Amino acid sequence: MSAIPKLAPRAGVVERRASILAGLAALVPPAALITAEDERRAYETDALTAYRQIPLAVVLPETTEEVSAVLAFLNREGVRVVARGAGTSLAGGALPTEDSVVVGVSKMNRILEVDTANRTIRVEAGVTNLAVSGAVSHLGFFYAPDPSSQLACTIAGNIAMNSGGAHCLKYGVTTNNVLGAKIVLMDGTVVEIGGKALDAAGLDWLGLVVGSEGQLGLVTEATLRILPLAEGARPVLMGFSSAEDAGACVAAIIGSGIIPVAIEYMDRPAIKVCEAFAHAGYPLDVEAMLIVEVEGSEAEIEDLLGRITAIAQDFRPQTIKVSRSEAESLAIWKGRKSAFGAMGRIADYMCMDGTIPTGQLPLVLRRIAEICAARGLEVANIFHAGDGNLHPLVLFNANEPGGLEKAEECGAEILKLCVEVGGCLTGEHGVGVEKRELMVHQYTPVDLAQQTRLKSAFDPAWLLNPNKVFPLEGRVLS
Amino acid sequence: MSVLLPASEAEAEAIIGEAAAARAPLAIEGGGTRPTGRPVQAERTIATRALSGITLYEPAEMVIAARAGTPLAEVEAALAANRQRLAFEPMDHRPLLGTAGEPTIGGVAAANVSGPRRIHSGAARDSLIGIRFVNGRGETVKSGGRVMKNVTGLDLVKFLAGARGSLGLLTEVTFKVLPEAETETTLVIAGLDAERGVAALSAALGTPWEVTGAAHLPAEPGDVSHTVMRLEGFAPSVAYRRERLAAALAAFGPAELLEGEDSRALWAAIRDVRLLAAPPGKAVWRLSVPPMEGPAVGRRLEAALGSRLLYDWGGGLIWASADETGDAGAAAMRAAAAAAGGHATLVRAGPATRAAVAAFTPDPAPLAALARQVKTVFDPAGIFPAVFDAA
């Protein structure tokens, strides 16, 4: 196991497990309460599988009222709660503690209301990201945030982590696309914020709750913005002989006034692995590749792709390949979207998630290569080049003693580097348990104290997801 | 009444720290062009105008940072020189409120000031990506930064945006920016009533043609109503979408076109609510409701208060006048907004009315309790204005 310390259990809670389970059993139907060890084991980890901990119990409520009753009871009993969506967090956001009850929203997965005239949809928070778009696509609408895990991940998790995706350059991230929420506080109080209007009264509670990683309350319902689907979309794939050229090309595209719907960057190792997996027709002889996608009518797409490829000529492109069909577009995106799976076939890897000022890309890539080489590890880089969100995939061998620790050291050095050049520790995956102890590199003690005091106002006893986000040492509570 | 003008964060920390120790309230002011809400009872005002200057502008990264007291005009001029802009099109409150002075970029952030393009590109809070502020303990706190994707820790950026100085004094703000549009065109359909007008806006906003402004201007005496929709972008794209949109809205009547400067002037007038600026003696309210509820809310206000109205945001933002007598229409405005699932804010009224009528819709009980606790977290001595506290 690795170096990230565990939070000490609350005294006496594990010992009181039987009475806590009996209390829960009185609040929810039998099928909603999971107590057997082999069934609880399914909830011991998320997509950060290096960390595992079986919880005291798992509750899967079907209504907001059940969530409220469960939280009120656990609050009275002084029992910790770890909220869980689909368990796809790459940062350990859903990792339990041994003295916690996992409250999952997976059974709360109904679409409650579709309102295309007001361009909103109201859903229970356990609905998957893709199901939201699926509920409105036949009406010509979609839900914009599109994290790679969108087939499985829930709106509850998206709200907790303020999830992004490849298309947020144009459409924003979760916080820009949520209009209302029903939230259960740790004492069981249910609060409703916002709705179908474009803003809410008073303080921006919604802005605070989105991205709060289950520290403030559990979201059980949400009202989301839906947007009209574009007439069409097509990418161009461009290869360059250096990170400098590719980065300068991105700056020139943006400087020309074009906001593509996505600009994805892959370096040579990433291209190689993805091409071997997806046979997308990626160029293997380039150092850097951009996938730039634009939207609109056929004529608009032609016009924009023409402007973009003309701009690219100034940066010595080695390859320019404009997609000419739906099939070519799918192949180009298949390579990119399968990057993580493709990487997993050749090695264990850690997916990092820093953000950097885009102009720092060449420097940061050089330093990342040095950091990994110093520990004998390889790295592949995928980058949302329009918004600066960088995903280095650090490859390692989990079976080699110390392999994971070496990869974690690289990861920590890389994220510190992101902060050093003016960026941040996490662009879309969240802090979770993974980056908790790194927060001191981005924030001063004063910054952190402001955040932890705010958490205390919502959750005075720190029962909600307490092993996450804030470094264990030095938590200022009031 | 004295005005304190810190020229650095350190000076702001000292002023606020001393005020907290003495439990002496402070009013907070940017350019002083948007006085909304209860006049603050404080001997001293801390104003940001000496905290001025753009601190970072990277056009290729679409990001600009400035100290809070920087004039908005200075920020917009720097952006315009690089053919960029603040996407959320901040309203200038001076024509409506009859105020003078220079709006500041910090004031825009603190009051979450947005304009017609909010319907497409988000509000000020959606473009705000980083802040520095001094809390009520006299400590400088940062949240967010200069990169547009950042989920590190609690998002105090959004929470302070629109908090109107109740939680802290913003000292520096960082915004994501977008390119200016090469061209713009506005489609105008004349003679629709509010129901048909908002239905036309909803139909337009449901198309893929990226409407960036959607307003309904009811008939003034001697004129007809105008339902207006803005398209922006590269010229060939705007030309194409203009044709398609006009065809899609044919059932609502023929669309005339306003181009270039005429279009820009129209949207500036809508943004600044110039329609309701005169006569100056009337109270002006801002109601935010689900867009399709707009016409029904408007009808109620016309019937109850004789309000003149302006619908923006596809019907979801209603500007409404009322006589400044009694509660200045508060009960009727609040009831109409609440029935529709929205809220109402008193934006313009004289000091006596503002002292007597709560400007902001009060929070329901559980949120009000939370708001009081949160206020204490940021401002334990209670020296900053309790803006949203109805009491």
Side-chain angles (χ1 to χ4, degrees), chain B residues 100-117:
Chain B
E102 272 303 310
T104 62
I105 191 69
V108 166
N112 188 25
V113 179
S114 312
R117 206 178 291 108

Side-chain angles (χ1 to χ4, degrees), chain B:
Chain B
M1 179 104 175
S2 60
V3 178
L4 307 166
L5 296 170
S8 66
E9 278 175 352
E11 288 179 25
E13 286 181 1
I15 291 167
I16 292 169
E18 284 165 26
R23 299 196 166 258
L26 286 172
I28 288 186
E29 190 176 277
T33 67
R34 315 176 201 272
T36 294
R38 194 185 314 113
V40 178
Q41 301 298 314
E43 296 277 313
R44 299 187 304 165
T45 295
I46 184 167
T48 55
R49 55 183 181 271
L51 282 167
S52 188
I54 293 168
T55 51
L56 174 132
Y57 178 30
E58 292 285 352
E61 294 173 10
M62 299 189 289
V63 58
I64 193 163
R67 294 193 186 90
T70 309
L72 175 61
E74 184 180 329
V75 171
E76 291 187 322
L79 294 173
N82 286 281
R83 292 183 298 126
Q84 294 187 327
R85 66 185 178 190
L86 297 170
F88 52 91
E89 201 174 8
M91 173 181 177
D92 181 348
H93 281 70
R94 288 174 293 184
L96 181 65
L97 301 185
T99 47
E102 272 303 310
T104 62
I105 191 69
V108 166
N112 188 25
V113 179
S114 312
R117 206 178 291 108
R118 192 270 169 262
I119 197 87
H120 178 267
S121 307
R125 56 87 90 180
D126 294 294
S127 287
L128 187 65
I129 57 175
I131 56 170
R132 294 175 64 84
F133 66 97
V134 180
N135 67 15
R137 297 167 187 266
E139 303 165 331
T140 297
V141 179
K142 74 161 185 294
S143 181
R146 61 174 283 196
V147 290
M148 60 178 86
K149 256 168 108 181
N150 184 347
V151 297
T152 321
L154 296 179
D155 191 349
L156 304 185
V157 177
K158 300 278 183 299
F159 204 49
L160 273 279
R164 295 175 173 268
S166 61
L167 305 179
L169 174 79
L170 293 175
T171 54
E172 187 170 347
V173 294
T174 306
F175 282 99
K176 150 181 132 172
V177 301
L178 283 179
E180 278 178 357
E182 181 183 280
T183 183
E184 71 174 74
T185 296
T186 298
L187 279 71
V188 184
I189 302 178
L192 302 178
D193 64 17
E195 284 76 10
R196 289 284 288 162
V198 167
L201 298 178
S202 175
L205 290 164
T207 68
W209 300 309
E210 304 219 26
V211 172
T212 68
H216 176 76
L217 289 51
E220 289 289 297
D223 198 359
V224 293
S225 74
H226 295 96
T227 304
V228 295
M229 291 147 280
R230 177 175 60 187
L231 299 172
E232 297 178 281
F234 293 113
S237 166
V238 169
Y240 163 79
R241 288 181 283 141
R242 184 179 66 206
E243 296 303 314
R244 299 300 303 267
L245 189 58
L249 298 178
F252 293 96
E256 290 189 30
L257 300 178
L258 273 185
E259 307 283 355
E261 211 37 61
D262 291 339
S263 174
R264 274 189 284 280
L266 171 69
W267 289 101
I270 293 170
R271 180 194 71 196
D272 299 343
V273 200
R274 282 173 191 263
L275 192 66
L276 300 186
K282 294 269 189 182
V284 176
W285 290 77
R286 174 193 186 279
L287 293 85
S288 180
V289 299
M292 295 304 286
E293 302 295 328
V297 171
R299 296 281 174 226
R300 278 181 70 156
L301 301 179
E302 282 172 336
L305 302 168
S307 295
R308 287 169 62 221
L309 304 166
L310 167 64
Y311 299 89
D312 195 357
W313 296 359
L317 177 63
I318 306 171
W319 293 93
S321 65
D323 286 334
E324 203 178 323
T325 52
D327 70 351
M333 295 283 175
R334 294 254 145 80
H343 62 101
T345 305
L346 177 60
V347 173
R348 184 177 81 178
T353 304
R354 283 164 46 212
V357 175
F360 300 95
T361 297
D363 286 322
L367 271 182
L370 203 51
R372 280 191 294 274
Q373 282 171 283
V374 162
K375 170 83 171 143
T376 307
V377 161
F378 284 87
D379 177 21
I383 55 166
F384 295 139
V387 177
F388 303 109
D389 200 335

Side-chain angles (χ1 to χ4, degrees), chain A residues 270-402:
Chain A
I271 297 166
K272 191 176 140 203
V273 173
C274 292
E275 176 61 18
F277 180 77
H279 308 293
Y282 290 173
L284 294 169
D285 55 346
V286 301
E287 286 303 317
M289 186 181 89
L290 296 175
I291 301 171
V292 184
E293 180 158 276
V294 297
E295 287 183 340
S297 65
E298 260 313 304
E300 288 175 291
I301 290 172
E302 259 328 292
D303 175 54
L304 288 174
L305 291 179
R307 290 169 193 254
I308 288 167
T309 51
I311 290 166
Q313 295 305 328
D314 289 345
F315 306 97
R316 300 167 288 279
Q318 291 176 288
T319 317
I320 292 189
K321 187 170 148 191
V322 173
S323 163
R324 290 289 160 208
S325 69
E326 183 74 19
E328 284 182 26
S329 300
L330 281 175
I332 287 173
W333 276 113
K334 186 185 171 206
R336 165 61 187 88
K337 290 201 166 179
S338 60
F340 296 173
M343 210 62 69
R345 292 201 315 169
I346 61 164
D348 300 301
Y349 70 89
M350 283 192 49
C351 176
M352 310 311 296
D353 169 48
T355 305
I356 58 170
T358 51
Q360 301 286 337
L361 179 68
L363 167 77
V364 168
L365 290 181
R366 269 200 307 279
R367 295 270 303 274
I368 288 176
E370 289 164 12
I371 287 167
C372 293
R375 290 167 181 81
L377 297 181
E378 289 188 61
V379 62
N381 289 285
I382 289 166
F383 184 52
H384 303 303
D387 55 40
N389 191 192
L390 180 64
H391 294 309
L393 304 174
V394 179
L395 310 185
F396 68 100
N397 180 355
N399 294 322
E400 171 195 316

